[in-house]
Amino acid sequence: MNTAEYLYHAWHDAAKSRDTDALIALYYDDAELESPLVPIIMQRTNGTLRGKAEIRAFLAEGARRRPNEWVRWYRDARYYTGDGTLIWEYPRQTPDGNQVDILEVMQHRDG
């Protein structure tokens, strides 16, 4: 299994099960996370988090706020990878109704 495939499965499994420790283990110490949810969840003025401590706090709070009707964790097993970038979508339409449409983009390095 290559790095992108590993991240695709490991991130989804950890997020779906609300395993913050497993999620944060996928990030480098100097990682950055950008999301429009950061200002809403973390009450910040911008959407960029830097370093594992900030990212962990965001992921933990996001896990605490679930489940909710907008997160079904449906995806269709397709992803794109190239040049150290991994992209996949949790589409709005699912077999069980609608969910929030999320596009995940990750840059990875060093295997």
Side-chain angles (χ1 to χ4, degrees):
M1 178 179 307
N2 65 37
T3 300
E5 185 178 3
Y6 172 78
L7 287 172
Y8 175 75
H9 293 290
W11 195 94
H12 174 79
D13 293 344
K16 187 175 181 177
S17 66
R18 296 188 250 176
D19 187 343
T20 303
D21 290 336
L23 273 173
I24 201 65
L26 300 172
Y27 291 83
Y28 276 96
D29 291 340
D30 63 346
E32 291 186 4
L33 184 147
E34 296 180 47
S35 171
L37 293 176
V38 169
I40 296 164
I41 291 175
M42 303 304 289
Q43 289 132 26
R44 296 171 54 122
T45 57
N46 73 54
T48 302
L49 301 171
R50 289 179 176 81
K52 279 189 166 184
E54 288 185 1
I55 296 169
R56 176 187 281 280
F58 173 74
L59 296 173
E61 182 61 20
R64 187 187 71 73
R65 292 182 183 206
R66 289 191 335 262
N68 66 54
E69 71 231 38
W70 294 105
V71 180
R72 297 182 190 276
W73 295 108
Y74 170 78
R75 59 188 188 166
D76 63 9
R78 291 184 298 170
Y79 62 89
Y80 164 83
T81 186
D83 295 326
T85 300
L86 170 63
I87 303 169
W88 77 87
E89 179 185 24
Y90 293 96
R92 182 182 59 79
Q93 293 180 327
T94 79
D96 299 321
N98 289 333
Q99 68 180 354
V100 65
D101 191 350
I102 299 171
L103 182 71
E104 298 287 353
V105 179
M106 295 183 179
Q107 293 177 322
H108 56 89
R109 64 181 192 233
D110 301 335

